[in-house]
Each structure stands twice: as structure tokens, then as C-alpha cells.
Amino acid sequence: MDLVTPDIGLIFWTTVSFGILYFILAKFAWKPILGAVNDREKSIKDALSAAEKAKEEMQNLKSDNEKILNEAKLQRETLLKEARELKSKIISDAENEATEKANKLIESAKTAIENEKSAAMKELKNTVVDLSLSIAEKLLAKELDNKEKQLENIQETLDKTKLN
């Protein structure tokens, strides 16, 4: 039962030892321990604050990235629209130019054909005239050689020209 009811001496020496230990701890260890705890608490607060700032920066960066992405999409759409318009304009200009060239070529071909046709007709007329004259000359030369034949031809021509 000695353990359940302590002696006054035991209480006294326990209190003295606790006081000495408390004094030593308060004088030498308490300040460094509290300083370390305070430093640790401050570093944890700083880390939490830095994490919060990093979180805010990440949100800002995310919103900035979304803005940049939206601007890039708008620029892409604008560039694509301009490219389509330019393509349409180039195609239209090329078609117009091709049509103009084709019309000029057709007109020039028609003119060349008309010129060639006129030249061919003139040449044909000249050839026909030359052949006709040559035939007439040969016929007349043959028919003029023979007087009887001449009279007969004249009579025949007159008979053909008479109207009944």
C-alpha cells in the first residue's frame, strides 16, 4: 500500500525535482523549443500562403490560357475566312481572265476564218474566171476556124434566145 499513499518526503522531493527540472527547461530549453515550434508554424503558414498564391496564379494562368486559346481560334477563323475569300477571288479572276482570253481567241479565229474564206472565195472566183476564159478561148478558137460551124452556132444561139 505504500504506493497508493505516498509519504510526505516523496511528495516534497518530487516537487523539488520537478521545480529544478522546470527551471532548467525554462532557462535553457524552453526558448529554443518554442522558437523551433514558432519557426515551424511560420514556415507552414508561409507554405500554405505560397500554395494559395500558386493556386490563384494557376487559375489566372488557366483563364489567360483560355483567353489566348479563344483569341487564337478567332484568328484562325478569320484567317480561314480570308483564305476562302482570297481563293474565291483568285478563282473568279482566273475564270474571268480565261473567259476573256477564250472570247478573244474565238473572235480572232472568226476573223481569221472570215479572212481565209474571203481569200478562198476570191481565189476560187479568179480560178473560175480564168478557167471560163480559157475554155471560152479554146472553144472560140475551134469554132472560129470553121466558118460553117460559126454560122451554125450563131443560128443555134439565136434560136435559144428567141422567146416563144
Side-chain angles (χ1 to χ4, degrees):
M1 243 344 194
D2 285 334
L3 289 174
V4 176
T5 57
D7 271 340
I8 203 110
L10 181 63
I11 293 175
F12 173 75
W13 286 114
T14 304
T15 306
V16 169
S17 339
F18 180 74
I20 292 172
L21 181 63
Y22 182 76
F23 175 74
I24 290 172
L25 283 176
K27 180 118 180 140
F28 298 106
W30 219 236
K31 287 181 184 177
I33 290 173
L34 284 178
V37 168
N38 287 337
D39 288 344
R40 178 71 177 151
E41 183 180 353
K42 184 180 176 195
S43 70
I44 289 172
K45 284 182 182 178
D46 290 342
L48 288 173
S49 150
E52 193 65 33
K53 284 182 184 177
K55 184 178 178 183
E56 288 175 10
E57 285 182 23
M58 286 299 289
Q59 287 178 345
N60 290 340
L61 286 175
K62 185 177 179 183
S63 67
D64 288 345
N65 283 343
E66 288 176 5
K67 284 180 186 177
I68 291 171
L69 186 61
N70 288 336
E71 288 176 8
K73 285 179 182 179
L74 287 173
Q75 277 185 333
R76 181 190 69 184
E77 290 300 320
T78 304
L79 288 174
L80 286 175
K81 183 180 176 184
E82 288 175 2
R84 284 186 205 112
E85 288 173 0
L86 183 62
K87 178 185 100 175
S88 297
K89 184 179 181 283
I90 289 172
I91 289 172
S92 174
D93 290 347
E95 286 175 351
N96 290 339
E97 187 178 335
T99 304
E100 287 176 16
K101 284 184 180 180
N103 288 338
K104 285 180 183 177
L105 284 174
I106 289 170
E107 288 300 316
S108 116
K110 283 181 180 179
T111 305
I113 289 170
E114 283 296 319
N115 290 340
E116 290 293 323
K117 184 179 172 184
S118 296
M121 291 298 285
K122 282 182 183 178
E123 188 178 331
L124 183 61
K125 284 180 183 178
N126 289 337
T127 304
V128 168
V129 168
D130 287 344
L131 283 174
S132 297
L133 286 175
S134 175
I135 290 171
E137 184 182 313
K138 287 180 183 177
L139 282 175
L140 285 175
K142 276 187 178 180
E143 290 181 7
L144 289 178
D145 284 345
N146 188 353
K147 210 167 199 189
E148 234 176 72
K149 189 91 163 160
Q150 257 181 2
L151 290 174
E152 195 178 299
N153 279 341
I154 290 172
Q155 190 62 40
E156 197 177 302
T157 305
L158 287 175
D159 288 341
K160 284 183 183 177
T161 56
K162 283 186 189 176
L163 296 172
N164 294 344

